[in-house]
Amino acid sequence: GTVRERIVHKFGTMSARQAMVQDAWALVKEAPWLGQGGDTWRLSYRAVQSSPYVGSQMHSGYVDVLLNTGLIGLVLLTAMLAAAGLLIFRRCRRLLPSYIAFLLHGAVDIDWSYGMVWLLFFLLAAQAAAEPSPVGKKTGGVLASPPERIRWHVPALLSLWIVIALGSSCLAYRGYMGHAEHMQALRSRDNQAAAARLASSLRWNPADYSAALDLAGLVPPPAAEAILRRSLAYAPHHPGLLWALADNAGQRGDAGAAIYWTGAALRQDKYNAGERTRSLECLLQLARAEYTAGHETEARRIARFGFGLYHDYARAAEDTRLRVIRNDREFALTFEAREWGRQLAALSGVRAR
Protein backbone atom coordinates (compact mmCIF):
# COMPACT_ATOMS: atom_id res chain seq x y z
CA GLY A 1 0.00 0.00 0.00
CA THR A 2 0.94 3.68 0.04
CA VAL A 3 3.10 5.27 2.71
CA ARG A 4 -0.02 6.90 4.19
CA GLU A 5 -1.81 3.51 4.40
CA ARG A 6 1.18 1.94 6.12
CA ILE A 7 1.39 4.75 8.66
CA VAL A 8 -2.34 4.52 9.40
CA HIS A 9 -2.10 0.72 9.70
CA LYS A 10 0.86 0.92 12.10
CA PHE A 11 -0.89 3.57 14.18
CA GLY A 12 -4.02 1.41 14.29
CA THR A 13 -1.99 -1.59 15.45
CA MET A 14 -0.30 0.44 18.17
CA SER A 15 -3.60 1.91 19.35
CA ALA A 16 -5.19 -1.56 19.45
CA ARG A 17 -2.33 -2.94 21.56
CA GLN A 18 -2.54 0.01 23.91
CA ALA A 19 -6.29 -0.52 24.22
CA MET A 20 -5.73 -4.22 25.00
CA VAL A 21 -3.44 -3.44 27.91
CA GLN A 22 -5.79 -0.77 29.24
CA ASP A 23 -8.83 -3.06 28.93
CA ALA A 24 -6.96 -5.91 30.64
CA TRP A 25 -6.89 -4.00 33.94
CA ALA A 26 -10.64 -4.50 34.29
CA LEU A 27 -10.00 -8.26 34.34
CA VAL A 28 -6.98 -7.91 36.64
CA LYS A 29 -9.09 -6.09 39.23
CA GLU A 30 -11.53 -9.02 39.37
CA ALA A 31 -8.84 -11.42 40.63
CA PRO A 32 -5.63 -9.48 41.36
CA TRP A 33 -3.84 -12.03 43.55
CA LEU A 34 -4.34 -15.42 41.91
CA GLY A 35 -5.67 -14.47 38.47
CA GLN A 36 -8.48 -16.21 36.61
CA GLY A 37 -6.69 -19.23 35.15
CA GLY A 38 -5.39 -20.07 31.70
CA ASP A 39 -6.64 -18.33 28.56
CA THR A 40 -8.26 -15.53 30.56
CA TRP A 41 -7.75 -12.93 27.85
CA ARG A 42 -8.85 -15.14 24.96
CA LEU A 43 -12.08 -16.08 26.71
CA SER A 44 -12.91 -12.71 28.28
CA TYR A 45 -11.50 -9.91 26.12
CA ARG A 46 -14.78 -9.33 24.28
CA ALA A 47 -16.46 -8.44 27.57
CA VAL A 48 -14.05 -5.60 28.37
CA GLN A 49 -12.84 -4.34 25.00
CA SER A 50 -13.33 -0.61 24.59
CA SER A 51 -13.28 -0.82 20.78
CA PRO A 52 -14.00 -3.61 18.26
CA TYR A 53 -10.43 -4.83 17.75
CA VAL A 54 -9.60 -8.48 17.11
CA GLY A 55 -6.99 -9.68 19.56
CA SER A 56 -7.55 -13.03 21.22
CA GLN A 57 -3.91 -13.09 22.34
CA MET A 58 -2.58 -10.50 24.75
CA HIS A 59 0.34 -8.62 23.19
CA SER A 60 2.31 -8.54 26.44
CA GLY A 61 3.67 -11.60 28.18
CA TYR A 62 3.78 -9.88 31.56
CA VAL A 63 0.13 -8.77 31.38
CA ASP A 64 -0.91 -12.23 30.19
CA VAL A 65 0.79 -13.87 33.17
CA LEU A 66 -0.83 -11.31 35.47
CA LEU A 67 -4.27 -12.15 34.05
CA ASN A 68 -3.77 -15.91 34.32
CA THR A 69 -1.92 -16.24 37.64
CA GLY A 70 -2.30 -12.87 39.36
CA LEU A 71 0.32 -10.89 41.25
CA ILE A 72 1.63 -14.03 42.96
CA GLY A 73 2.34 -15.69 39.63
CA LEU A 74 3.91 -12.54 38.21
CA VAL A 75 6.20 -12.22 41.25
CA LEU A 76 7.29 -15.86 40.89
CA LEU A 77 7.94 -15.37 37.19
CA THR A 78 9.92 -12.20 37.86
CA ALA A 79 12.02 -14.04 40.43
CA MET A 80 12.74 -16.81 37.92
CA LEU A 81 13.69 -14.33 35.20
CA ALA A 82 15.91 -12.40 37.63
CA ALA A 83 17.65 -15.58 38.76
CA ALA A 84 18.30 -16.58 35.16
CA GLY A 85 19.58 -13.10 34.36
CA LEU A 86 21.94 -13.16 37.34
CA LEU A 87 23.24 -16.57 36.26
CA ILE A 88 23.84 -15.36 32.71
CA PHE A 89 25.51 -12.17 33.95
CA ARG A 90 27.90 -14.09 36.17
CA ARG A 91 28.70 -17.05 33.93
CA CYS A 92 28.24 -16.05 30.27
CA ARG A 93 27.78 -12.36 29.54
CA ARG A 94 27.84 -12.86 25.78
CA LEU A 95 24.29 -14.27 26.14
CA LEU A 96 22.99 -11.08 27.75
CA PRO A 97 21.77 -9.45 24.47
CA SER A 98 19.58 -12.49 23.71
CA TYR A 99 18.29 -12.54 27.28
CA ILE A 100 17.45 -8.81 27.22
CA ALA A 101 15.69 -9.19 23.84
CA PHE A 102 13.56 -11.98 25.37
CA LEU A 103 12.57 -9.74 28.28
CA LEU A 104 11.84 -6.60 26.28
CA HIS A 105 10.10 -8.04 23.24
CA GLY A 106 7.96 -10.28 25.42
CA ALA A 107 6.54 -7.13 26.98
CA VAL A 108 5.06 -5.86 23.70
CA ASP A 109 4.25 -8.97 21.65
CA ILE A 110 2.94 -12.53 21.84
CA ASP A 111 6.36 -14.26 22.00
CA TRP A 112 5.63 -15.92 25.33
CA SER A 113 2.56 -17.65 23.92
CA TYR A 114 4.83 -20.10 22.08
CA GLY A 115 6.47 -22.99 23.90
CA MET A 116 9.51 -22.85 21.61
CA VAL A 117 10.35 -19.36 22.90
CA TRP A 118 10.44 -20.66 26.47
CA LEU A 119 12.58 -23.62 25.42
CA LEU A 120 15.06 -21.15 23.94
CA PHE A 121 14.99 -19.15 27.18
CA PHE A 122 15.76 -22.22 29.28
CA LEU A 123 18.46 -23.16 26.78
CA LEU A 124 20.08 -19.78 27.43
CA ALA A 125 20.01 -20.41 31.17
CA ALA A 126 21.31 -23.98 30.73
CA GLN A 127 24.15 -22.82 28.51
CA ALA A 128 25.13 -20.22 31.11
CA ALA A 129 24.93 -22.82 33.89
CA ALA A 130 27.24 -25.12 31.90
CA GLU A 131 29.95 -22.47 31.86
CA PRO A 132 32.60 -22.81 34.61
CA SER A 133 31.96 -20.46 37.51
CA PRO A 134 34.59 -17.87 38.46
CA VAL A 135 35.43 -19.98 41.53
CA GLY A 136 35.95 -23.04 39.36
CA LYS A 137 38.22 -21.12 37.03
CA LYS A 138 40.41 -19.97 39.92
CA THR A 139 40.82 -23.52 41.22
CA GLY A 140 41.69 -24.95 37.85
CA GLY A 141 38.18 -26.09 36.96
CA VAL A 142 37.84 -28.47 39.95
CA LEU A 143 34.53 -27.74 41.63
CA ALA A 144 33.48 -28.75 45.10
CA SER A 145 30.88 -31.51 45.36
CA PRO A 146 27.34 -30.33 46.11
CA PRO A 147 26.38 -30.08 49.77
CA GLU A 148 24.82 -33.11 51.44
CA ARG A 149 21.44 -31.40 51.88
CA ILE A 150 21.20 -30.76 48.13
CA ARG A 151 21.94 -34.42 47.33
CA TRP A 152 19.14 -35.47 49.69
CA HIS A 153 16.68 -33.21 47.87
CA VAL A 154 17.37 -34.66 44.42
CA PRO A 155 15.22 -37.84 44.83
CA ALA A 156 12.29 -35.78 46.16
CA LEU A 157 12.49 -33.32 43.28
CA LEU A 158 12.80 -36.16 40.78
CA SER A 159 9.73 -37.89 42.24
CA LEU A 160 7.76 -34.63 42.03
CA TRP A 161 8.81 -34.20 38.42
CA ILE A 162 7.68 -37.76 37.59
CA VAL A 163 4.26 -37.18 39.18
CA ILE A 164 3.80 -33.91 37.28
CA ALA A 165 4.94 -35.52 34.03
CA LEU A 166 2.53 -38.44 34.44
CA GLY A 167 -0.39 -36.16 35.25
CA SER A 168 0.40 -33.89 32.30
CA SER A 169 0.73 -36.89 29.99
CA CYS A 170 -2.67 -38.19 31.08
CA LEU A 171 -4.32 -34.82 30.44
CA ALA A 172 -2.54 -34.49 27.10
CA TYR A 173 -3.74 -37.96 26.04
CA ARG A 174 -7.33 -37.15 26.94
CA GLY A 175 -7.09 -33.89 25.02
CA TYR A 176 -5.59 -35.68 22.01
CA MET A 177 -8.32 -38.35 21.96
CA GLY A 178 -11.04 -35.70 22.30
CA HIS A 179 -9.53 -33.71 19.42
CA ALA A 180 -9.23 -36.83 17.25
CA GLU A 181 -12.90 -37.71 17.81
CA HIS A 182 -13.88 -34.11 17.06
CA MET A 183 -11.98 -34.14 13.77
CA GLN A 184 -13.59 -37.45 12.78
CA ALA A 185 -17.01 -35.94 13.49
CA LEU A 186 -16.28 -32.95 11.26
CA ARG A 187 -15.32 -35.29 8.41
CA SER A 188 -18.46 -37.39 8.76
CA ARG A 189 -21.36 -36.79 6.35
CA ASP A 190 -23.84 -38.66 8.56
CA ASN A 191 -25.26 -36.41 11.27
CA GLN A 192 -26.04 -39.32 13.57
CA ALA A 193 -22.50 -40.68 13.32
CA ALA A 194 -21.09 -37.16 13.77
CA ALA A 195 -23.19 -36.67 16.91
CA ALA A 196 -21.89 -39.96 18.35
CA ARG A 197 -18.30 -38.89 17.63
CA LEU A 198 -18.85 -35.50 19.25
CA ALA A 199 -20.40 -37.10 22.33
CA SER A 200 -17.31 -39.34 22.57
CA SER A 201 -15.09 -36.27 22.16
CA LEU A 202 -16.81 -34.58 25.11
CA ARG A 203 -16.38 -37.69 27.26
CA TRP A 204 -12.66 -37.53 26.63
CA ASN A 205 -12.45 -33.76 27.06
CA PRO A 206 -15.56 -32.20 28.67
CA ALA A 207 -13.96 -28.74 28.59
CA ASP A 208 -13.92 -28.57 24.77
CA TYR A 209 -16.61 -25.95 24.14
CA SER A 210 -16.16 -26.16 20.36
CA ALA A 211 -17.24 -29.81 20.41
CA ALA A 212 -20.20 -28.88 22.62
CA LEU A 213 -21.28 -26.14 20.19
CA ASP A 214 -21.03 -28.53 17.23
CA LEU A 215 -22.97 -31.26 19.03
CA ALA A 216 -25.68 -28.81 20.12
CA GLY A 217 -26.35 -28.07 16.45
CA LEU A 218 -27.07 -31.75 15.72
CA VAL A 219 -29.47 -32.69 18.52
CA PRO A 220 -32.98 -31.50 19.49
CA PRO A 221 -33.17 -28.19 21.40
CA PRO A 222 -33.88 -29.71 24.87
CA ALA A 223 -30.84 -32.00 24.61
CA ALA A 224 -28.77 -29.14 23.17
CA GLU A 225 -29.60 -26.96 26.17
CA ALA A 226 -28.23 -29.60 28.58
CA ILE A 227 -25.03 -29.94 26.53
CA LEU A 228 -24.46 -26.19 26.39
CA ARG A 229 -25.09 -25.75 30.12
CA ARG A 230 -22.58 -28.48 30.98
CA SER A 231 -19.99 -26.86 28.74
CA LEU A 232 -20.71 -23.47 30.31
CA ALA A 233 -19.54 -24.88 33.66
CA TYR A 234 -16.02 -25.16 32.18
CA ALA A 235 -16.09 -21.80 30.37
CA PRO A 236 -18.66 -19.66 32.20
CA HIS A 237 -17.97 -16.48 30.24
CA HIS A 238 -17.57 -17.91 26.76
CA PRO A 239 -19.68 -15.71 24.43
CA GLY A 240 -20.22 -18.47 21.87
CA LEU A 241 -21.91 -20.67 24.46
CA LEU A 242 -24.03 -17.77 25.74
CA TRP A 243 -25.22 -16.81 22.25
CA ALA A 244 -25.96 -20.48 21.53
CA LEU A 245 -28.04 -20.73 24.70
CA ALA A 246 -29.99 -17.60 23.70
CA ASP A 247 -30.67 -19.09 20.26
CA ASN A 248 -31.59 -22.42 21.87
CA ALA A 249 -34.12 -20.68 24.12
CA GLY A 250 -35.67 -19.08 21.05
CA GLN A 251 -35.99 -22.48 19.36
CA ARG A 252 -37.71 -23.83 22.48
CA GLY A 253 -40.04 -20.84 22.62
CA ASP A 254 -38.81 -19.80 26.06
CA ALA A 255 -38.87 -16.00 25.96
CA GLY A 256 -37.67 -15.55 29.53
CA ALA A 257 -34.58 -17.69 28.93
CA ALA A 258 -33.93 -15.99 25.58
CA ILE A 259 -33.97 -12.57 27.24
CA TYR A 260 -31.70 -13.76 30.05
CA TRP A 261 -29.10 -15.44 27.82
CA THR A 262 -29.14 -12.59 25.31
CA GLY A 263 -28.35 -10.13 28.08
CA ALA A 264 -25.58 -12.38 29.40
CA ALA A 265 -24.09 -12.75 25.91
CA LEU A 266 -24.14 -9.00 25.28
CA ARG A 267 -22.23 -8.38 28.50
CA GLN A 268 -19.50 -10.68 27.20
CA ASP A 269 -19.56 -9.79 23.49
CA LYS A 270 -20.98 -6.34 22.80
CA TYR A 271 -19.26 -5.80 19.43
CA ASN A 272 -20.76 -8.82 17.64
CA ALA A 273 -22.98 -7.37 14.92
CA GLY A 274 -24.06 -10.73 13.52
CA GLU A 275 -25.26 -12.14 16.84
CA ARG A 276 -26.92 -8.87 17.82
CA THR A 277 -28.88 -8.98 14.57
CA ARG A 278 -29.90 -12.62 15.07
CA SER A 279 -30.99 -11.91 18.64
CA LEU A 280 -33.35 -9.18 17.39
CA GLU A 281 -34.88 -11.58 14.88
CA CYS A 282 -35.28 -14.24 17.59
CA LEU A 283 -37.04 -11.84 19.96
CA LEU A 284 -39.30 -10.62 17.17
CA GLN A 285 -40.36 -14.20 16.40
CA LEU A 286 -41.03 -14.89 20.08
CA ALA A 287 -43.11 -11.71 20.40
CA ARG A 288 -45.11 -12.62 17.31
CA ALA A 289 -45.74 -16.12 18.68
CA GLU A 290 -47.09 -14.67 21.93
CA TYR A 291 -49.25 -12.18 20.03
CA THR A 292 -50.66 -14.95 17.84
CA ALA A 293 -51.44 -17.01 20.95
CA GLY A 294 -53.47 -14.10 22.31
CA HIS A 295 -50.92 -13.01 24.94
CA GLU A 296 -50.72 -9.39 23.86
CA THR A 297 -49.21 -8.06 27.10
CA GLU A 298 -46.38 -10.60 27.03
CA ALA A 299 -45.83 -9.95 23.33
CA ARG A 300 -45.44 -6.22 23.96
CA ARG A 301 -43.05 -6.88 26.87
CA ILE A 302 -40.79 -9.01 24.67
CA ALA A 303 -41.01 -6.49 21.82
CA ARG A 304 -40.10 -3.59 24.12
CA PHE A 305 -37.07 -5.48 25.38
CA GLY A 306 -36.05 -6.28 21.81
CA PHE A 307 -36.46 -2.67 20.71
CA GLY A 308 -34.35 -1.57 23.68
CA LEU A 309 -31.59 -3.90 22.47
CA TYR A 310 -31.94 -2.46 18.97
CA HIS A 311 -31.66 1.09 20.30
CA ASP A 312 -28.48 0.20 22.26
CA TYR A 313 -27.07 -1.53 19.17
CA ALA A 314 -27.75 1.46 16.93
CA ARG A 315 -26.16 3.86 19.42
CA ALA A 316 -23.06 1.66 19.86
CA ALA A 317 -22.66 1.33 16.09
CA GLU A 318 -22.87 5.10 15.63
CA ASP A 319 -20.36 5.72 18.44
CA THR A 320 -17.99 3.22 16.83
CA ARG A 321 -18.32 4.87 13.42
CA LEU A 322 -17.53 8.30 14.82
CA ARG A 323 -14.70 7.66 17.24
CA VAL A 324 -12.94 4.33 16.58
CA ILE A 325 -9.83 4.23 14.38
CA ARG A 326 -9.60 0.44 14.22
CA ASN A 327 -12.73 -1.65 13.62
CA ASP A 328 -11.34 -5.13 13.01
CA ARG A 329 -14.67 -6.79 13.79
CA GLU A 330 -16.52 -4.60 11.26
CA PHE A 331 -19.05 -3.65 13.88
CA ALA A 332 -21.90 -1.69 12.29
CA LEU A 333 -25.68 -1.57 12.24
CA THR A 334 -26.87 -4.10 9.68
CA PHE A 335 -29.76 -3.62 7.24
CA GLU A 336 -31.55 -6.61 8.79
CA ALA A 337 -31.23 -5.12 12.27
CA ARG A 338 -32.88 -1.90 11.09
CA GLU A 339 -35.81 -3.91 9.76
CA TRP A 340 -36.16 -6.04 12.92
CA GLY A 341 -35.94 -2.87 15.01
CA ARG A 342 -38.71 -1.22 12.99
CA GLN A 343 -40.97 -4.25 13.40
CA LEU A 344 -40.22 -4.58 17.12
CA ALA A 345 -41.09 -0.90 17.58
CA ALA A 346 -44.38 -1.37 15.75
CA LEU A 347 -45.28 -4.43 17.83
CA SER A 348 -44.38 -2.78 21.12
CA GLY A 349 -46.15 0.48 20.36
CA VAL A 350 -42.89 2.48 20.59
CA ARG A 351 -42.16 5.09 17.95
CA ALA A 352 -38.92 4.16 16.16
CA ARG A 353 -36.36 6.89 15.60
Side-chain angles (χ1 to χ4, degrees), residues 38-294:
D39 279 347
T40 295
W41 179 253
R42 183 170 64 85
L43 293 174
S44 303
Y45 80 93
R46 299 176 187 89
V48 297
Q49 62 180 162
S50 55
S51 61
Y53 53 75
V54 172
S56 59
Q57 287 187 307
M58 171 53 63
H59 284 254
S60 173
Y62 298 97
V63 177
D64 199 37
V65 170
L66 182 61
L67 288 169
N68 294 337
T69 62
L71 286 170
I72 293 176
L74 184 61
V75 168
L76 292 175
L77 173 69
T78 303
M80 183 189 74
L81 295 175
L86 184 61
L87 177 66
I88 292 171
F89 179 78
R90 288 179 173 176
R91 297 284 190 90
C92 192
R93 295 186 182 180
R94 68 176 184 274
L95 298 177
L96 276 177
S98 300
Y99 169 76
I100 293 172
F102 172 84
L103 294 183
L104 296 181
H105 201 262
V108 296
D109 215 328
I110 61 174
D111 307 27
W112 292 7
S113 299
Y114 300 101
M116 180 59 69
V117 173
W118 284 102
L119 288 176
L120 293 174
F121 166 74
F122 287 119
L123 181 62
L124 285 177
Q127 186 174 349
E131 293 287 328
S133 67
V135 175
K137 291 178 181 178
K138 292 179 182 178
T139 58
V142 179
L143 301 177
S145 60
E148 187 70 21
R149 59 186 179 85
I150 295 180
R151 289 204 300 268
W152 277 107
H153 289 164
V154 170
L157 293 174
L158 182 60
S159 300
L160 178 62
W161 181 85
I162 291 173
V163 170
I164 294 174
L166 288 174
S168 301
S169 299
C170 180
L171 291 175
Y173 177 73
R174 291 181 65 87
Y176 167 77
M177 291 300 296
H179 178 73
E181 289 287 88
H182 194 179
M183 291 299 101
Q184 288 292 333
L186 294 179
R187 298 188 190 100
S188 177
R189 296 183 178 180
D190 181 6
N191 286 347
Q192 190 172 1
R197 289 280 189 180
L198 289 168
S200 174
S201 174
L202 286 173
R203 285 193 293 272
W204 280 107
N205 183 14
D208 185 3
Y209 53 81
S210 60
L213 287 169
D214 289 339
L215 180 57
L218 297 176
V219 299
E225 182 192 14
I227 292 167
L228 293 170
R229 282 180 174 272
R230 281 197 298 270
S231 186
L232 198 65
Y234 294 95
H237 302 301
H238 191 275
L241 293 172
L242 296 172
W243 286 120
L245 280 164
D247 182 65
N248 175 269
Q251 294 176 29
R252 292 184 291 107
D254 188 341
I259 289 174
Y260 172 80
W261 290 117
T262 298
L266 283 171
R267 287 191 292 273
Q268 300 298 324
D269 191 16
K270 57 187 174 182
Y271 288 115
N272 193 327
E275 291 294 351
R276 275 182 178 262
T277 301
R278 279 188 284 274
S279 68
L280 294 176
E281 182 182 13
C282 174
L283 291 169
L284 177 62
Q285 292 173 351
L286 289 170
R288 283 175 173 171
E290 292 291 342
Y291 193 84
T292 303

